[in-house]
Amino acid sequence: MQKLDTPGVDLASLSADRHRPSYHFLSPDNWMNDPNGLLHWRGRCHLFYQYNPSSPQSEDKHWGHAVSDDLVHWEHLPIALAPDPDGPDTDGVFSGCAVGLHDHVVLMYTGVRGPHQLPCIATNDDPELLAWTKYAGNPVITAPPADLDLVFFRDHTLWQEGDTWYMGIGSGLRGQGGTVLVFRSPDLHDWTYLHPLCIGDLDRTNPLWGGTGWECPDFFAISNDRVLIVSGHDAHPRNVLWFTGGYQDQRLTVHNTGLVDGGPSFYAPQSYTDDAGRRVMFGWMRERRTVAQQVAAGWSGVMTLPRILSVLSDGSLVSAPAPEIAQLRTRHRTAVVDASGLVDIRGDTLELLATFDARATEPAGLSVRTSLDGKEATVVTYTPATQTVTLDTRASSIDPDVSGVASRISIPPAADGSIRLRVFLDRSVIEVFVNDRICISDRIYPVREESDRIRVVGLAALSTLEVWDIGPCFLPSEAGRQSLSVDHPQDHR
Ligand code: FRU
């Protein structure tokens, strides 16, 4: 990636930035990428994330940290893990996961030192998870399996069977495809290599080609189903895939596979099981503006809203927005639509819920963040003939440096013949959930102040339209603050 000098972050300009989301989690400033170490611990959701505290560019990775009581309001906490000048992570604390044991938490992360990327451990010193001690014996695996020709070896997923721990590490077998390598341990410290959990497919004609290597594996159970999610680092677009199937002896026999999100920005998701037994996922939404624009803005990267995962009887992995998001609604708006389809509501931090009759013949949906002349428009439509949802961001911005794309994902209508689009607009973020089953998301950067209008496409097929204003996920004091001290408000709602 191109690297530029970073002028330093001006917090006032961060909060005035029209593209900076207000109700999606993001770091206080600078660069953020993958969610890490997602964990429900003592009633609170802990979200760690890849963070560069000194620049909005992808370098010098730390673990940032935030906590939420309700999944939607967030409080920044001090940085959890920083590179140690003399340690096995001197060149970066890369992605990993967390497990909560009965009285403490273990973080498993990728320590980077020169060409080496190896698993390391840290444990908490306090119940608030504010202070961490790295294990003196790091790295806990000193080299990848010697007899394998691997494209890389990083990122971790942990699970337990009886008293035995298993760890999956993201990798790729040269010439074969992406893979997740399984290791076994009695105590999270001493690890023995077993075999690949499953191996991808390098056939590029397969639309689910996962690239040559799989990053950020996430392996978990939902009821009796086993699910593997991986991010294909050099697939185009960088697809995030799910696999379900039969599981025996730490091998997954894949029966079904698909895309976790149909959009081009979504990457490196991670999930955890909460106290209610729900599988909750967050993903990183990458920027789609230039590095120079990110540096000028002083920040980069945002998390998706929390999504609840489930597996259907045919083995499909589906996702729906967490019900807690409704707590962010501040005002219900009654929408009036004129004969041209123009809605009398404007805004860039809205939730829209529109239902359409999918038996209509023409594509139907919504054009959002639209200027009156339509020169800027982000269009989400359902095409009944092909049973596809398209999110078209090619005209989202007149800025020539920002590119868009038409992303598509297939979904049949609901049993009653309807298609329900639930659209979350948050400045440069759009997330569209279809029939509470699939999501397609992207980043958008409209230039014109007046590109905040909504137009219905295929008005004849529209059944209902509801709109809510959505409030912020941080207190104003929290939103633009570099939070490295432990002196933080305990309750911000
Ligand atoms: C995925 C990723 C991981 C790595 C981390 C570094 O976005 O490349 O594989 O651990 O980001 O920030």
Side-chain angles (χ1 to χ4, degrees), residues 59 73 162 173 267 299 372:
E59 50 197 10
H73 293 92
L173 295 167
Y267 201 67
W299 65 280
L372 207 50

Side-chain angles (χ1 to χ4, degrees), residues 33-34 50 58 61 94-95 110 154-155 215-216 238 267-268 284:
N33 58 300
D34 317 351
Q50 288 286 279
S58 180
K61 299 299 172 68
F94 274 21
S95 285
T110 303
R154 63 169 176 265
D155 309 336
E215 302 181 307
C216 303
R238 296 210 289 179
Y267 201 67
W284 168 40

Side-chain angles (χ1 to χ4, degrees), residues 145 165-166 181-185 192-196 249-251:
W165 285 100
Y166 294 92
L181 301 175
V182 182
F183 291 74
R184 181 181 60 213
S185 171
T192 306
Y193 173 62
L194 298 183
H195 48 244
D249 300 332
Q250 296 79 49
R251 291 179 203 270

Side-chain angles (χ1 to χ4, degrees), residues 176 200-213 234-236 239:
Q176 288 188 65
D201 179 2
L202 269 186
D203 176 6
R204 292 175 192 228
T205 60
N206 179 347
L208 297 179
W209 178 60
T212 56
D234 59 353
H236 301 288
N239 290 344

Side-chain angles (χ1 to χ4, degrees), residues 464-475:
T464 61
L465 175 62
E466 289 191 272
V467 184
W468 289 267
D469 290 328
I470 303 292
C473 66
F474 296 109
L475 275 182

